[in-house]
Each structure stands twice: as C-alpha cells, then as structure tokens.
Amino acid sequence: MTQQPSKDLETKNPLHTHYPRYFDINMRYYLGENNHQKGVNRTKVSVLIAIRFSIVTPGIVRWLYGINHRLALEHLNRLEKDGLLRVVKTHRSPDGRVYVPTYTAAKFAEELMGIDVYFRSNKNPALQFNQNNVAHNLINAFVMLRGIHNYHSDETYAPMWSGFITEPEFKRINNLSDARTVDGAVRLLDGSVAAVEIEHSFKNKTARQVILLKYLASLKKNDYSKIFLFSQSVKIFDDIKRLHEQLFEEMPQRFDKKTRAPLLSESDAELLRASIIYRTKLCSEIEKMFYS
C-alpha cells in the first residue's frame, strides 16, 4: 500500500519528516478484476477512511465506489458484522448514521499503512467521535478523497494531489502552539505541500484575523506553501475575500502592544494574498452531496 517517500519535500522542517509516511498511504480505490478483488479493495479503503477520518458513512461509500445506497449499506453492515466497524445513529449525518472503527480495524489499518494507530475504544461507540464535527469531517473526507479520484472529461486520470494528511493526523504530528491546526494537508504533484481548509460557515473579522496570523506563522516556517479553501457556498468565499481584503489594509496600520511592530507588514499581506487559494471547483458537488 505504501510508496517511496517523496524526495521533493523540504527536510529542514521537522514536520516534513512525518509528512511522507501519511502522504504515501494509497487511498485510491481500484475497481478490481473480479467480485472478490472488488470486495477486498473496498474493505481496505473503507477501513482506512474510518481510521483516518474517525468515521465513514454510506454517502461517502456510495460516491466513491459508484454504487447505490442499498449496496453501500450492505457493504458497511458487512464490515460491522466482521467486527471492523460499529454503527451509530445520528441526525448529524446526511445518512442518519455513521460507522466508527473498532480495535480490530485499527490493527488492520496498521498493517496496511505501516504506521501506529492511536486508537481509543469505547463501550459506547457514540463517544468515539465529536457529534458536532460530523458534517465537517465528512466534507473534509470527501474533499481529500475527491482530489485523489479526479478525472478529466475524457476519463483520463488527473489527481489534484497524490496524498493527504487528515486533521487528526496533522494534530498529532504538529504540536507547535503558534501553528494553526488545519483541516488537513495534501502533497501536490510537484512535491509541494498545501494546507486544506473546509469553510462551511461565516466567521467574523476577529476570527479571520486570528486565522490569518496563524497561516502566516505556518507559511514562514514552511509547514506548507499554500492554503486551499473549499466550501459549499460561493457566498462564503465572497465574504472571506471581503474580510481578508479589509484586514490586509487595516492590519499594517495597527501595532502589536508588546513588540510595537505592525500586526502585518505589507510583504506579509502579499504573502498571504498569494498563498490563499479559493477552490470553487467543488462547491456544487459539496452542496449537492451534503446540503441538498
């Protein structure tokens, strides 16, 4: 399942010694030559999704494997019967349920990834994940997997990135207090690293300022070289752009009380302006899958 680590990653940053292990986990779904191989491939990918994102749902499985809702349910229920997943009913999921991994799934995933899995089992599976983050985590999983499974209109394979790190994984390898914990990171085809952020709600200017300063700190330390923003709404993007432009104008005129330096230099503002990329490509797909 693993490939050789990329030689293009910057080695001076200690984070980058951890990146390749996660980027090299093969999350691409291959159809398989027969029903047996198809089942094996689906089991591997479904377990990896559940372990890496903490949950998996029929909706994600239905989209990824190109099957209907009934077959998606049958697949996940089979994994539950085999002791790899447990089901939790929740109105937070578009499917009314999520599936969480078991200890057996964690051991299976360790074999597939070659990476230790930090797993805490709970008698009540509903306590294994944050109910408030279900929609966010599912959109995040869709975006990360969608980038791996991207094709041109002529069905030529054209991935947006070659691998990714999920939010829980990023949190574990990034314990720097001044670095913003992003929703994940991806390795682009040129070997560079981009952060991924899911923006599914409006935030005020104060929150945006805090986020920008965290982005700036991470960009300067080369945690990643750009930030991809994804959303279900172009209106949310328009609002973010409006607040960012206001802050890029205002922050160089305001000063830190301790250092007496501007909150943002003109060059910092230009760096952020150039590094934050609004990916509108998936807006309609996210809206249709999670909000329709």
Side-chain angles (χ1 to χ4, degrees), residues 4 16 65 79 133 171-172 216 225-226 247-248 264 267:
Q4 288 300 312
H16 290 202
Y65 303 153
L79 296 186
N133 294 342
K171 282 180 177 177
R172 278 197 296 271
L216 182 64
S225 60
K226 53 182 74 75
L247 288 165
F248 292 152
L264 204 67
S267 60

Side-chain angles (χ1 to χ4, degrees), residues 35-101:
N35 286 339
H36 171 72
Q37 192 59 52
K38 189 185 297 180
V40 169
N41 292 351
R42 287 178 181 174
T43 295
K44 287 180 179 178
V45 176
S46 295
V47 168
L48 287 175
I49 292 170
I51 285 293
R52 300 191 70 189
F53 292 97
S54 76
I55 55 176
V56 65
T57 60
I60 293 289
V61 163
R62 183 176 67 242
W63 159 75
L64 185 57
Y65 303 153
I67 56 180
N68 61 34
H69 183 71
R70 179 182 63 81
L71 290 175
L73 273 177
E74 284 182 6
H75 165 68
L76 293 174
N77 288 338
R78 192 176 302 117
L79 296 186
E80 182 186 19
K81 185 179 178 182
D82 292 342
L84 292 165
L85 299 177
R86 294 198 290 176
V87 67
V88 179
K89 302 289 180 67
T90 172
H91 69 279
R92 305 293 182 119
S93 167
D95 297 289
R97 61 175 62 200
V98 300
Y99 292 79
V100 299

Side-chain angles (χ1 to χ4, degrees), residues 94 135 139 200-201 232 286-292:
I139 296 170
H200 52 78
S201 62
Q232 82 283 4
I286 296 170
E287 199 280 331
K288 182 180 178 182
M289 190 161 174
F290 296 98
Y291 293 91
S292 294

Side-chain angles (χ1 to χ4, degrees), residues 9-20 173-174 176 217-224:
L9 290 169
E10 176 64 53
T11 55
K12 292 178 183 177
N13 186 322
L15 276 177
H16 290 202
T17 63
H18 298 283
Y19 281 155
I173 67 172
N174 182 4
L176 306 174
S218 287
L219 287 167
K220 286 185 171 181
K221 287 200 296 294
N222 200 29
D223 292 345
Y224 38 78

Side-chain angles (χ1 to χ4, degrees), residues 142-270:
F142 170 71
V143 168
M144 297 280 200
L145 292 162
R146 178 65 178 77
I148 295 286
H149 298 84
N150 190 57
Y151 295 83
H152 288 316
S153 55
D154 63 358
E155 297 190 2
T156 304
Y157 184 52
M160 299 182 205
W161 42 77
S162 61
F164 58 75
I165 293 173
T166 67
E167 183 177 11
E169 293 162 349
F170 193 88
K171 282 180 177 177
R172 278 197 296 271
I173 67 172
N174 182 4
N175 56 8
L176 306 174
S177 60
D178 57 347
R180 173 168 165 77
T181 298
V182 290
D183 295 330
V186 295
R187 179 176 60 192
L188 305 182
L189 302 189
D190 64 2
S192 64
V193 177
V196 167
E197 290 275 63
I198 308 300
E199 297 287 356
H200 52 78
S201 62
F202 293 93
K203 294 184 176 73
N204 61 33
K205 189 188 286 188
T206 302
R208 287 284 161 211
Q209 176 175 309
V210 172
I211 291 169
L212 284 177
L213 291 174
K214 297 262 186 176
Y215 284 161
L216 182 64
S218 287
L219 287 167
K220 286 185 171 181
K221 287 200 296 294
N222 200 29
D223 292 345
Y224 38 78
S225 60
K226 53 182 74 75
I227 302 105
F228 289 160
L229 302 187
F230 290 90
S231 179
Q232 82 283 4
S233 168
V234 175
K235 289 182 179 178
I236 289 177
F237 276 155
D238 290 341
D239 190 63
I240 295 171
K241 290 174 185 176
R242 177 182 65 82
L243 292 177
H244 280 181
E245 285 306 317
Q246 289 180 13
L247 288 165
F248 292 152
E249 292 293 325
E250 296 169 7
M251 289 171 72
Q253 311 303 321
R254 304 210 312 264
F255 297 86
D256 186 292
K257 292 179 180 178
K258 291 182 180 178
T259 65
R260 297 187 179 181
L263 287 178
L264 204 67
S265 69
E266 295 291 348
S267 60
D268 289 340
E270 284 306 312

Side-chain angles (χ1 to χ4, degrees), residues 97-153:
R97 61 175 62 200
V98 300
Y99 292 79
V100 299
T102 63
Y103 179 78
T104 303
K107 292 290 115 183
F108 181 44
E110 282 185 347
E111 292 176 16
L112 295 174
M113 299 188 296
I115 300 172
D116 289 340
V117 172
Y118 297 87
F119 181 81
R120 281 185 180 178
S121 185
N122 200 300
K123 287 184 179 179
N124 181 358
L127 299 178
Q128 277 185 217
F129 63 97
N130 187 334
Q131 296 267 354
N132 295 326
N133 294 342
V134 167
H136 178 86
N137 289 354
L138 291 175
I139 296 170
N140 201 12
F142 170 71
V143 168
M144 297 280 200
L145 292 162
R146 178 65 178 77
I148 295 286
H149 298 84
N150 190 57
Y151 295 83
H152 288 316
S153 55

